[in-house]
């Protein structure tokens, strides 16, 4: 998900066919208009290469249940889903994997089909945060199949479970590897502002003028970031975090489920995982938050078989199939019932991710296209603050500029 989050792309698609524009804007709300087109439908499905073998038998089951529909599955990087779709929507897959943060860009470009058939069941069966991530401007588009958040990995020989519950005890009793001073700090530590009560693009992440980091709470966050430079329990770590964990230079670090196998290899029997700790930014302990990413399937707005395509997206994301994907690929389900399954609850990483996926522990990554203008300025403020390049009396002016830059739209 980290890679996905950083691959936010700019807009720039021109619609050339009136029919395509209508399909994109209207979302094909009339099944009667499309049913005839779905007889003997041939559907193309894009999934990440690591998921192809997992989804092949699921596709075969779908075809058995819908004998007039043929599905061709091909590998395609979900992190660049919108870029691949924009190249030639008519030649792209009918159904595709995507990270939820690309949703706003896809909607604005008119390349994703509204979920007009399965909205009620998805809202009923998916977690609240997953539904929020699949929705843009009040309309549901995506089909959630997984949730992803950063968590805390630690060496249980060096740190007890009680030690990792707060930043203070974590960094006083052990050494935490964290990236404050290099590119990528934005993804990890921007949610500190929301931990302290500020907002990024408003309450729902869709208000272009809704960022309010330039206040006393935001200044508190920067003061705390600067203090970590002088905290002996914090070791600047980025690409070297895993090696530092393995050689004992650090005892814990913040990462996501994508690091599970590498951390297990580095720590062996001392492997342990937990949700983020609390942190005191100046007003007492608050929960340190992370960005939440939601994995979606989407339907191409230019599909010739929207009924079949929507049916496939819904089938691939049902409870049973989300559990299959969890068992095969480790993707934590977005389905509420699937999250209570013993196979999921017995997995410590999944348990930590599910805890982090609630509103008290995470913020759904905003879907606004303007996020593309946020990452660079946010990194600069966090990196320069940590490295002592910004005087304390310049914190508020720097946040004023960050908010101004954040409010830019590349439409």
């Amino acid at each position: 998900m980290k890679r996905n989050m950083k691959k936010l792309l700019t807009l720039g698609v021109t619609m050339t066919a009136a029919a395509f524009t209508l399909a994109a804007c209207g979302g094909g709300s009339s099944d009667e208009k499309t049913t005839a087109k779905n007889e003997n439908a041939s559907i193309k499905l894009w999934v990440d290469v690591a998921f192809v073998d997992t989804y092949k038998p699921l596709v075969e089951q779908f075809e058995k249940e819908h004998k007039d529909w043929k599905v061709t599955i091909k590998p395609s990087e979900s992190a660049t889903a919108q870029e691949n779709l924009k190249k030639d929507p008519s030649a792209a897959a009918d159904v595709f994997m995507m990270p939820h943060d690309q949703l706003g860009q896809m909607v604005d470009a008119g390349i994703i089909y509204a979920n007009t058939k399965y909205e009620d069941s998805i809202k009923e069966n998916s977690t609240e945060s997953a539904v929020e991530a699949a929705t843009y401007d009040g309309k549901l588009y995506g089909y959630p199949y997984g949730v992803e958040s950063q968590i805390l990995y630690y060496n249980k020989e060096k740190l007890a479970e009680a030690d990792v519950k707060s930043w203070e005890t974590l960094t006083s009793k052990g050494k935490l590897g964290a990236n404050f001073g290099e590119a990528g700090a934005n993804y990890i530590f921007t949610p500190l502002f929301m931990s302290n009560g500020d907002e990024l693009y408003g309450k729902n992440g869709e208000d272009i003028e809704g960022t309010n980091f330039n206040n006393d709470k935001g200044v508190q966050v920067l003061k705390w970031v600067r203090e970590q430079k002088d905290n002996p329990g914090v070791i600047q770590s980025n690409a070297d975090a895993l090696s530092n964990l393995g050689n004992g230079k650090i005892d814990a670090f913040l990462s996501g489920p994508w690091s599970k196998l590498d951390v297990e290899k580095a720590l062996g029997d001392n492997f342990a995982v937990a949700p983020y700790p609390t942190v005191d930014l100046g007003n007492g302990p608050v929960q340190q938050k992370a960005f939440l990413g939601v994995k979606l399937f989407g339907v191409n707005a230019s599909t010739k078989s929207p009924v079949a395509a929507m049916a496939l997206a819904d089938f691939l994301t049902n409870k049973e199939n989300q559990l299959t994907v969890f068992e095969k690929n480790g993707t934590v389900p977005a389905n509420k019932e699937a999250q209570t399954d013993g196979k999921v609850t017995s997995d410590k990483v999944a348990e930590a991710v599910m805890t982090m996926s609630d509103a008290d522990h995470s913020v759904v990554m905003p879907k606004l296209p303007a996020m593309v203008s946020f990452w660079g300025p946010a990194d600069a403020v966090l990196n320069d603050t940590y490295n002592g390049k910004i005087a304390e009396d310049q914190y508020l002016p720097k946040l004023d500029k960050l908010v101004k830059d954040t409010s830019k739209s590349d439409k």
Side-chain angles (χ1 to χ4, degrees):
M1 191 68 191
K2 184 175 180 179
R3 296 191 301 270
N4 293 347
M5 291 302 181
K6 306 316 287 285
K7 292 186 179 180
L8 293 161
L9 306 170
T10 57
L11 299 173
V13 171
T14 302
M15 298 298 147
T16 58
F20 176 68
T21 303
L22 288 173
C25 296
S29 59
S30 175
D31 293 340
E32 290 79 5
K33 294 180 181 180
T34 57
T35 301
K37 298 180 181 180
N38 287 283
E39 294 178 1
N40 302 311
S42 179
I43 312 167
K44 187 188 299 182
L45 171 67
W46 280 348
V47 300
D48 287 329
V49 63
F51 289 78
V52 172
D53 289 341
T54 299
Y55 280 103
K56 277 183 178 178
L58 305 186
V59 164
E60 291 173 1
Q61 180 61 39
F62 178 80
E63 289 176 328
K64 288 179 181 178
E65 297 178 11
H66 303 278
K67 298 188 182 300
D68 292 330
W69 296 344
K70 174 66 177 176
V71 180
T72 302
I73 184 171
K74 292 186 176 181
S76 181
E77 180 62 44
S78 62
T80 55
Q82 64 146 337
E83 180 182 23
N84 297 336
L85 215 62
K86 287 178 181 178
K87 289 177 181 177
D88 185 355
S90 64
D94 301 273
V95 181
F96 51 89
M97 280 182 168
M98 61 175 286
H100 88 268
D101 58 293
Q102 294 184 10
L103 184 57
Q105 298 171 75
M106 288 189 176
V107 173
D108 286 357
I111 56 176
I112 188 168
Y113 200 95
N115 185 343
T116 60
K117 287 199 67 176
Y118 304 98
E119 180 177 8
D120 290 343
S121 63
I122 284 179
K123 288 183 176 180
E124 179 181 354
N125 297 321
S126 302
T127 64
E128 183 178 349
S129 57
V131 173
E132 179 184 344
T135 303
Y136 188 71
D137 197 21
K139 184 180 288 187
L140 186 75
Y141 288 89
Y143 302 72
Y145 71 93
V147 294
E148 196 167 70
S149 170
Q150 293 231 143
I151 50 182
L152 175 73
Y153 290 104
Y154 67 98
N155 184 333
K156 65 181 181 182
E157 184 180 41
K158 301 288 187 65
L159 291 162
E161 186 175 342
D163 297 335
V164 301
K165 292 188 180 297
S166 77
W167 187 277
E168 288 71 25
T169 55
L170 171 60
T171 60
S172 63
K173 296 189 176 183
K175 294 191 181 298
L176 172 70
N179 176 26
F180 285 99
E182 299 177 15
N186 49 17
Y187 176 65
I188 304 167
F189 291 112
T190 292
L192 283 171
F193 292 95
M194 284 74 91
S195 297
N196 210 28
D198 283 343
E199 295 177 352
L200 178 61
Y201 295 126
K203 291 183 179 180
N204 67 353
E206 295 186 22
D207 181 358
I208 187 68
E209 297 181 350
T211 302
N212 64 345
F213 295 179
N214 54 335
N215 54 25
D216 290 342
K217 293 178 181 178
V219 170
Q220 282 184 323
V221 170
L222 293 190
K223 287 181 178 178
W224 182 89
V225 168
R226 179 63 185 86
E227 289 170 0
Q228 303 316 302
K229 180 74 170 179
D230 301 320
N231 185 343
V234 174
I235 307 298
Q236 167 62 29
S237 300
N238 195 9
D240 56 352
L242 277 169
S243 61
N244 287 344
L245 193 67
N247 62 29
K249 185 176 181 179
I250 62 175
D251 307 312
F253 83 119
L254 308 174
S255 189
W258 53 83
S259 296
K260 176 183 177 180
L261 296 179
D262 290 330
V263 179
E264 286 180 330
K265 183 177 180 180
L267 294 180
D269 293 338
N270 293 320
F271 173 90
V273 62
Y276 268 13
T278 59
V279 60
D280 190 342
L281 298 168
N283 300 312
V286 294
Q287 179 60 53
Q288 183 184 354
K289 293 187 176 184
F291 277 128
L292 180 71
V294 178
K295 295 171 176 287
L296 307 175
F297 275 97
V299 173
N300 188 340
S302 65
T303 180
K304 296 179 180 178
S305 305
V307 171
M310 284 190 287
L312 175 62
D314 184 66
F315 173 81
L316 295 178
T317 56
N318 67 28
K319 171 190 171 183
E320 292 74 18
N321 289 335
Q322 286 192 38
L323 285 172
T324 297
V325 174
F326 170 74
E327 290 183 71
K328 300 289 186 181
N329 298 87
T331 302
V332 179
N335 180 280
K336 288 185 288 189
E337 287 190 13
Q339 286 193 352
T340 66
D341 187 276
K343 300 184 188 72
V344 180
T345 57
S346 62
D347 185 289
K348 295 300 183 182
V349 170
E351 182 182 32
V353 170
M354 288 189 293
T355 297
M356 289 297 297
S357 68
D358 67 40
D360 292 334
H361 289 76
S362 64
V363 179
V364 176
M365 177 72 72
K367 295 152 283 182
L368 277 180
M371 275 296 287
V372 71
S373 68
F374 171 79
W375 296 113
D379 245 349
V381 169
L382 290 168
N383 293 167
D384 289 348
T385 297
Y386 176 78
N387 289 317
K389 295 182 179 180
I390 304 175
E392 188 172 316
D393 63 0
Q394 290 301 301
Y395 287 168
L396 188 57
K398 287 293 184 180
L399 289 172
D400 285 335
K401 186 175 186 304
L402 174 63
V403 168
K404 181 180 179 181
D405 291 339
T406 297
S407 300
K408 294 178 181 178
S409 174
D410 288 333
K411 289 184 181 180

